[in-house]
Amino acid sequence: MENTADIYNQTPHQNYPDPSQQMYEDTNSSFDIVSFLMKFVRYWYLFVICLVIAFILAKLENRKWQPVYKSSALVIIEEGKNNMYGNLNQNLMQGFGVQQGYRNVNNQVIMFSSYDLIAKVVDRLPLTVDCYNKGRFKTNNLYKICPLTIIQNYVSPEAYAYEFTIKDKGGNGFIISYDKDDKRKYIEGKYGIPLQTNLFFITVQKSEFYKPNVGFYFRFINRSDLINNYDSRLAFDFKQEGSSVVEVALTGLVLERDLDFINALCDAFIEDNLARKNEMAVKTINFIDEQLAEISDSVIKSEGRLKSYRIENQIMDVGSFSGQLISQANRVDIENSVFRLKESYLNYLESYLKKNIINESIVAPSSIGVSDPALMQLVAQFNELYEKRNNVGVKNPYYAKYTTQLLTVKNTMLEVLRNMRVAFEIEKKDLAERESLINKRISKLPNQESQMSNYERKFKIHDNYYTFLLQKKAESQIQKASNAPDNIILDRARMVGVTNGGVKNKTLFSYLFIGFLLPLIFILLKSFLNNKVFDNKDIEKVTSYPYLGAVRHTNVDDPVAVQKNPRSGFAESYRVIRTRVEFLVQRQSPITLLVTSTESGDGKTAFSLNMAGMYALTGRKTIIVDLDLRKPSVGARMGITKTQLGISNYLIGQVETLDEIIIKDTKYKFDVLLGGTVPPNPGELIRTEKLTQLYNQLASIYDYIIIDTSPIGLVADAYAIMKFVDATMFLVRSEKTHKVFFKNIIQQLKSDQKKNIYIVLNDVDEKKAGYSNYHEYGRRSYYMKKDEYYSYAKDYFDTSDLDMEDRKKLNKKKNK
């Protein structure tokens, strides 16, 4: 031992091999996927908790799910059907069928979805009162199963904003309540008796679904809102490309209501189509009825005069000559009747055109017997333009175009009418001359026969004209009865599917994805935003100084836990560091270690005590020196409560020899040199020559010297001591040491060209950091029986750390 000081003096600044340099370079050259994944594995419980919560929330959300039904019907839209009597009297019945514009399939679809048609359906169905029940998660509509029927007579605009509750109160009464101005309002009424309030006039009746004490919610829905709602939800599409089969579809929450609406819409569309086809026939019948009303009185009067004259004069027939004259007169009268009908039509048409009305179609001239080709063509053209204009909106550019064309056709018809008037006047004059000639011949008959012939002739004139009108009316009625709608309902409304059937699964997967994503984001943010050193990867990213090893976290309540549980994994981590130090300095002893850190609280004093305890287990002389003169803590950690003199007292001359301040024979098998009284100038004391003398004396006595010094990140005391030691243990505490502070200190040490500095990661939680298999041998030996440990340890461990008794037993086993 006398040459120990010389050894230390010869090799205090030797640059020992750096076995971690290559490891550091390899680690920084590639991405460690296992380490990255372990960050997430360590927080597996967060994923489990979040996924369970997400699953529960998804189930709760899915309880609110209500199916959205898709209902549809199929309607065949045909181009137009031939009328039963079309071939018999095509010219006569011109204009009675639906116009060309209506026979266009696309136009029919537009008419199918028209606002007016939807409004008709809304007025037919009981849709303006919406009754429903509210559950915890969803609302159930009571369409067709409502226990009470609410008939509305009047609803004020204010009432549409309220949600009403109606409840049966037993007997023949009920109570309606609603919230207004943060107050609950109540209205009482009786079944079957009209209830009048400032909000509504209604009558409430019991339905077949009535039950005592029943209650539900209801709202009044504005008619225009209903129309707009159905208009926005209705969809029309051809079932197959090129076909005229149209699918009318509606999606909604109330299946029965949507089915009724689609069926009613299809019925209204068919009725509207038939009404349009019958429009011209109805107009013709109305025109003939007007003429019949005018002529019927004349027929009755002329018939009465004829009967009276026959009775008075007892004359039943005239002579053959008078009969011939009367026959000729009758033919002239028939021609006069036809002429009068044509003249009436011309008067009607001229009156229509002069009134400047172009908002309705014109009765076809062929239906009245006017067969002028030019007029017939112009009327047909006028009606066709009228229908085309009706198929487009007012804002459509074609609307003005069709209006201009209508005016042109109207002016042309007026010109044609003027020409026809001239021809009619010539024909009328001819008929008048022929009638005058026949009347002169009749006047030569005897007076009674002449008078009789005159009565008969007037009666037949009126009767023939009346019969002619009846015939035309019958023909029009036959045409109207023979008309059939162009469109056919192929399939009545039915449910074809649920549009939101996959929403529940989508909701579940979305919530589970969010439940998985949240802890993922949390872990990534925590990892990226964490400014504390966590594991050796964080250390190797900052410094190229060798990483010596990691010290596990322990819960043993002892300052020197390695001696209390020498077979624990915690003790094994110190053995690993001790072995590596011996490898670095290339000898087992003597060894001097300096322990420092970035800042206080990194565990350097605890590390120094346990490192001294580990060396003491070898049986060699070990001392721990507390050179943290600013804040000495070794004595407090070891339970030395009595004030003791220490290094500071020695350096200022209060103590002459080291024997006075070295504490020997402690229960931990190593000596202790405390810091002593805290001096006012610790930095200057450490740099005195006397400290060098003190160190030389200790080196001549002890095999292992562990020096606990001040944090190098706070003060520079450790700089003055580094020249004495073989290795500097730079402690970094897991989840405590600040990365930036640590990096700055390391950069400072490198710029100062300090050597023999080794990094130790302290207080590592093996569960968090992934060190669960770090000390397999240590854990195995901890649970072995003592004899098994001897056999196992001799192959893997340095037996110098065993106590004398255990070493003797191991040697005996080796001898065997």
Side-chain angles (χ1 to χ4, degrees):
M1 297 299 292
E2 64 276 2
N3 298 325
T4 303
D6 295 334
I7 295 174
Y8 274 89
N9 291 331
Q10 292 173 5
T11 61
H13 303 292
Q14 180 180 353
N15 292 330
Y16 299 114
D18 188 355
S20 298
Q21 181 63 32
Q22 183 63 39
M23 178 187 70
Y24 169 80
E25 294 173 357
D26 294 342
T27 303
N28 283 278
S29 62
S30 62
F31 176 70
D32 190 351
I33 184 65
V34 176
S35 176
F36 180 75
L37 292 177
M38 285 302 297
K39 292 181 180 180
F40 304 104
V41 174
R42 284 193 293 270
Y43 291 97
W44 63 268
Y45 57 90
L46 285 181
F47 288 94
V48 173
I49 293 172
C50 290
L51 287 174
V52 170
I53 294 174
F55 181 79
I56 294 172
L57 292 177
K59 287 296 183 182
L60 292 176
E61 183 66 23
N62 282 336
R63 292 193 65 179
K64 301 177 185 178
W65 177 83
Q66 288 183 282
V68 178
Y69 301 100
K70 180 180 180 181
S71 309
S72 69
L74 297 179
V75 177
I76 299 178
I77 297 179
E78 299 186 359
E79 289 291 336
K81 296 181 179 178
N82 292 329
N83 298 314
M84 183 183 299
Y85 299 95
N87 296 327
L88 298 178
N89 197 1
Q90 185 174 2
N91 291 331
L92 179 63
M93 297 301 175
Q94 178 190 355
F96 289 169
V98 74
Q99 297 297 326
Q100 183 67 30
Y102 289 117
R103 292 199 296 270
N104 184 277
V105 175
N106 293 325
N107 290 341
Q108 291 275 37
V109 173
I110 294 173
M111 294 167 61
F112 208 161
S113 60
S114 65
Y115 185 92
D116 290 340
L117 193 63
I118 296 174
K120 289 180 182 178
V121 178
V122 168
D123 293 337
R124 290 183 184 181
L125 298 176
L127 303 175
T128 53
V129 181
D130 189 25
C131 304
Y132 51 92
N133 276 328
K134 285 184 177 181
R136 179 179 294 181
F137 294 98
K138 64 180 72 174
T139 299
N140 298 315
N141 199 277
L142 299 177
Y143 181 76
K144 283 192 172 181
I145 58 172
C146 188
L148 301 176
T149 302
I150 301 174
I151 303 171
Q152 66 179 56
N153 300 317
Y154 165 75
V155 178
S156 69
E158 182 185 359
Y160 293 114
Y162 296 118
E163 180 184 61
F164 299 93
T165 303
I166 184 169
K167 186 172 179 60
D168 179 72
K169 67 175 186 178
N172 197 37
F174 59 87
I175 299 176
I176 296 177
S177 60
Y178 64 98
D179 291 325
K180 182 178 181 181
D181 300 331
D182 298 329
K183 293 182 180 180
R184 194 70 177 171
K185 305 290 185 178
Y186 296 91
I187 304 171
E188 294 190 8
K190 292 186 178 181
Y191 296 116
I193 299 176
L195 177 63
Q196 297 186 4
T197 69
N198 60 334
L199 293 177
F200 49 73
F201 298 167
I202 61 172
T203 302
V204 181
Q205 298 176 348
K206 297 179 182 178
S207 71
E208 58 180 309
F209 302 100
Y210 169 79
K211 292 181 181 180
N213 300 320
V214 71
F216 58 88
Y217 298 87
F218 71 92
R219 281 183 178 274
F220 296 109
I221 305 178
N222 186 273
R223 178 177 179 270
S224 61
D225 292 340
L226 272 173
I227 297 172
N228 292 330
N229 175 266
Y230 280 102
D231 185 39
S232 64
R233 292 195 292 125
L234 275 170
F236 298 86
D237 193 14
F238 291 103
K239 188 67 177 177
Q240 186 176 348
E241 186 177 357
S243 71
S244 61
V245 178
V246 175
E247 181 184 32
V248 188
L250 192 63
T251 56
L253 297 173
V254 186
L255 176 62
E256 290 294 330
R257 186 168 62 189
D258 290 348
L259 293 177
D260 288 349
F261 185 88
I262 294 176
N263 286 329
L265 182 66
C266 293
D267 293 337
F269 177 63
I270 298 298
E271 294 170 4
D272 183 72
N273 175 260
L274 185 58
R276 290 179 184 275
K277 292 191 68 174
N278 291 332
E279 181 180 2
M280 299 305 298
V282 170
K283 286 184 178 181
T284 302
I285 292 171
N286 291 338
F287 174 77
I288 293 175
D289 285 339
E290 292 176 1
Q291 300 300 315
L292 286 173
E294 294 179 2
I295 198 62
S296 59
D297 291 340
S298 300
V299 173
I300 294 172
K301 290 178 181 180
S302 61
E303 184 181 13
R305 292 192 190 100
L306 179 60
K307 286 181 180 180
S308 299
Y309 187 80
R310 282 178 175 175
I311 294 172
E312 290 176 0
N313 297 278
Q314 297 182 352
I315 298 176
M316 299 303 297
D317 193 9
V318 294
S320 58
F321 179 73
S322 61
Q324 290 179 2
L325 292 177
I326 291 174
S327 177
Q328 292 177 5
N330 287 339
R331 286 195 294 271
V332 172
D333 290 339
I334 291 173
E335 292 179 10
N336 270 326
S337 298
V338 174
F339 181 81
R340 288 171 60 187
L341 183 60
K342 292 179 179 180
E343 189 176 26
S344 298
Y345 176 77
L346 292 180
N347 292 334
Y348 151 78
L349 185 58
E350 187 175 9
S351 175
Y352 173 85
L353 295 176
K354 286 183 177 180
K355 289 179 183 179
N356 199 27
I357 299 174
I358 55 173
N359 291 329
E360 61 181 17
S361 58
I362 301 174
V363 175
S366 59
S367 62
I368 309 300
V370 179
S371 58
D372 184 78
L375 183 62
M376 290 173 61
Q377 183 178 359
L378 288 172
V379 171
Q381 186 179 357
F382 183 90
N383 287 337
E384 183 178 356
L385 289 172
Y386 165 73
E387 298 302 340
K388 285 183 177 180
R389 193 186 67 166
N390 284 353
N391 288 336
V392 298
V394 176
K395 297 181 179 180
N396 194 299
Y398 282 98
Y399 186 89
K401 175 184 176 182
Y402 291 149
T403 302
T404 303
Q405 292 177 353
L406 282 171
L407 292 174
T408 303
V409 173
K410 187 184 78 168
N411 294 331
T412 306
M413 280 195 291
L414 286 172
E415 183 65 28
V416 171
L417 283 176
R418 282 192 289 271
N419 296 333
M420 289 182 68
R421 284 287 187 189
V422 175
F424 267 42
E425 288 298 327
I426 296 173
E427 186 178 355
K428 183 178 180 180
K429 184 177 180 180
D430 179 65
L431 284 174
E433 291 176 352
R434 290 166 56 192
E435 185 179 16
S436 176
L437 179 61
I438 293 173
N439 287 337
K440 287 180 181 180
R441 292 179 179 178
I442 293 175
S443 64
K444 296 178 180 180
L445 294 174
N447 188 32
Q448 289 183 342
E449 289 184 356
S450 175
Q451 191 67 22
M452 177 71 175
S453 297
N454 190 31
Y455 284 137
E456 284 184 351
R457 183 172 59 81
K458 289 183 179 180
F459 170 72
K460 286 182 179 180
I461 289 173
H462 294 146
D463 184 61
N464 289 338
Y465 185 47
Y466 188 82
T467 302
F468 176 78
L469 291 176
L470 289 178
Q471 180 184 357
K472 293 298 181 181
K473 181 178 180 180
E475 291 173 354
S476 298
Q477 288 176 334
I478 291 172
Q479 174 61 35
K480 179 182 176 182
S482 66
N483 278 339
D486 290 337
N487 309 316
I488 302 172
I489 300 176
L490 184 62
D491 282 337
R492 304 293 290 184
R494 60 187 179 88
M495 188 192 77
V496 295
V498 178
T499 60
N500 63 340
V503 170
K504 295 176 74 174
N505 289 335
K506 185 177 180 181
T507 300
L508 178 61
F509 289 136
S510 298
Y511 273 76
L512 290 178
F513 177 74
I514 294 173
F516 178 80
L517 192 62
L518 288 178
L520 191 69
I521 294 174
F522 168 77
I523 295 170
L524 289 174
L525 288 176
K526 183 179 179 182
S527 176
F528 291 138
L529 300 179
N530 182 26
N531 57 3
K532 307 294 183 182
V533 175
F534 183 70
D535 55 15
N536 61 307
K537 303 297 180 183
D538 293 335
I539 294 174
E540 292 163 358
K541 291 176 183 178
V542 172
T543 178
S544 59
Y545 283 125
Y547 171 70
L548 205 58
V551 176
R552 306 169 79 181
H553 173 78
T554 182
N555 294 319
V556 178
D557 188 16
D558 192 284
V560 190
V562 296
Q563 291 189 0
K564 186 174 183 179
N565 294 312
R567 302 165 190 165
S568 65
F570 176 75
E572 184 60 28
S573 62
Y574 280 92
R575 288 191 181 93
V576 171
I577 294 173
R578 183 191 66 187
T579 302
R580 297 202 68 188
V581 169
E582 292 174 354
F583 173 74
L584 291 171
V585 301
Q586 300 181 358
R587 62 178 180 274
Q588 289 188 349
S589 66
I591 295 175
T592 302
L593 299 179
L594 176 79
V595 181
T596 186
S597 65
T598 304
E599 54 189 331
S600 61
D602 287 336
K604 59 181 182 57
T605 301
F607 177 84
S608 300
L609 287 169
N610 282 282
M611 202 66 199
M614 180 56 63
Y615 278 116
L617 287 175
T618 63
R620 298 178 180 177
K621 299 190 67 176
T622 306
I623 187 172
I624 180 170
V625 180
D626 190 355
L627 263 179
D628 188 355
L629 300 183
R630 302 172 186 272
K631 191 179 178 181
S633 58
V634 173
R637 287 293 184 90
M638 298 184 67
I640 303 174
T641 57
K642 183 179 179 181
T643 303
Q644 297 285 345
L645 299 177
I647 295 176
S648 61
N649 304 98
Y650 177 80
L651 294 177
I652 61 176
Q654 291 182 354
V655 178
E656 295 295 333
T657 63
L658 287 177
D659 293 336
E660 298 179 47
I661 56 176
I662 292 177
I663 303 174
K664 298 182 178 181
D665 301 324
T666 65
K667 65 176 181 178
Y668 297 112
K669 306 175 185 178
F670 57 83
D671 295 344
V672 179
L673 182 54
L674 300 179
T677 307
V678 178
N681 56 341
E684 287 70 21
L685 284 179
I686 288 178
R687 287 168 173 79
T688 60
E689 184 63 27
K690 199 167 186 180
L691 180 64
T692 304
Q693 298 173 5
L694 180 146
Y695 172 74
N696 290 332
Q697 292 183 49
L698 293 176
S700 63
I701 301 173
Y702 294 97
D703 297 309
Y704 302 108
I705 302 174
I706 312 299
I707 302 175
D708 180 22
T709 185
S710 303
I712 198 170
L714 301 179
V715 293
D717 296 352
Y719 275 84
I721 310 171
M722 286 183 180
K723 61 184 179 180
F724 301 124
V725 303
D726 296 296
T728 298
M729 303 287 103
F730 194 113
L731 250 65
V732 177
R733 187 170 183 176
S734 178
E735 298 185 275
K736 193 272 179 186
T737 300
H738 199 283
K739 289 181 181 178
V740 177
F741 197 11
F742 171 61
K743 182 178 180 180
N744 293 337
I745 298 302
I746 291 298
Q747 290 178 346
Q748 183 63 42
L749 291 172
K750 290 181 69 176
S751 64
D752 295 339
Q753 298 182 352
K754 294 298 180 182
K755 306 294 184 181
N756 301 329
I757 296 177
Y758 305 96
I759 311 299
V760 176
L761 184 61
N762 190 28
D763 197 28
V764 177
D765 188 338
E766 62 177 3
K767 294 181 179 179
K768 291 183 179 180
Y771 285 86
S772 56
N773 297 320
Y774 186 77
H775 291 301
E776 178 185 353
Y777 297 147
R779 278 207 316 277
R780 181 176 176 186
S781 64
Y782 182 76
Y783 293 107
M784 284 180 178
K785 294 180 181 179
K786 198 169 185 178
D787 290 341
E788 293 176 346
Y789 174 70
Y790 296 146
S791 176
Y792 186 76
K794 69 184 179 61
D795 295 325
Y796 294 99
F797 301 136
D798 181 4
T799 58
S800 61
D801 63 346
L802 300 177
D803 56 28
M804 295 302 296
E805 182 180 354
D806 291 341
R807 196 182 305 167
K808 289 179 181 179
K809 290 183 179 181
L810 184 59
N811 289 333
K812 289 181 180 179
K813 287 183 177 290
K814 285 183 178 180
N815 293 333
K816 290 181 181 180

